[in-house]
Amino acid sequence: MLKTFVLAVFSVSVVLTIAHLVFRPPSLAGRTISKAVVASSDTSLGKLALNAKAGVSSGVVPLLDGPGAFAARIALIRKAEAALDVQYYIWQRDATGLILLNELRQAAERGVRVRLLLNAFAASGSVVINSFQAQCPTRGLSEAKARLV
């Protein structure tokens, strides 16, 4: 029994070590370090966030249907003046994904800093970067990556 347990622990350790060596995370060398922008009354959305009603403890607004949530995302992207920090678990190269990507590109072109965080398992970053590059064929991939920090 003890021999089987030790063999199982050893086997798992070997598998995890091999997986760690084969599936290394990407290098952070050469990446730009960036931080969230502090809410400021210099932007219209910042003013809204800072001038919340007394007694309101959260800026969370439930969006109960897909079309409404999508429209809210588009409106916020279009209204952004300083920065966008966008996080997605699932991002696909479908109509909504390409529309959102185009809106983020337009925001970056008007000087908004865009940071896009995608889940590595449920969304393909290369699909998003390739889509961004396809929408901006005159720009190189490095410029696309620089705008989507």
Side-chain angles (χ1 to χ4, degrees), residues 37-48 50-51 79 81-82:
V37 174
V38 178
S40 164
S41 60
D42 294 340
T43 66
S44 55
L45 291 176
K47 286 177 191 169
L48 284 173
L50 294 173
N51 296 329
K79 193 71 173 167
E81 299 170 51

Side-chain angles (χ1 to χ4, degrees), residues 24-89:
R24 289 212 171 275
S27 170
L28 298 179
R31 291 197 182 182
T32 304
I33 296 174
S34 63
K35 297 182 179 183
V37 174
V38 178
S40 164
S41 60
D42 294 340
T43 66
S44 55
L45 291 176
K47 286 177 191 169
L48 284 173
L50 294 173
N51 296 329
K53 295 178 184 175
V56 176
S57 61
S58 173
V60 174
V61 177
L63 301 171
L64 303 177
D65 65 355
F70 184 73
R73 286 182 184 91
I74 297 295
L76 288 169
I77 292 170
R78 289 180 178 175
K79 193 71 173 167
E81 299 170 51
L84 286 165
D85 290 337
V86 181
Q87 298 179 24
Y88 270 88
Y89 176 71

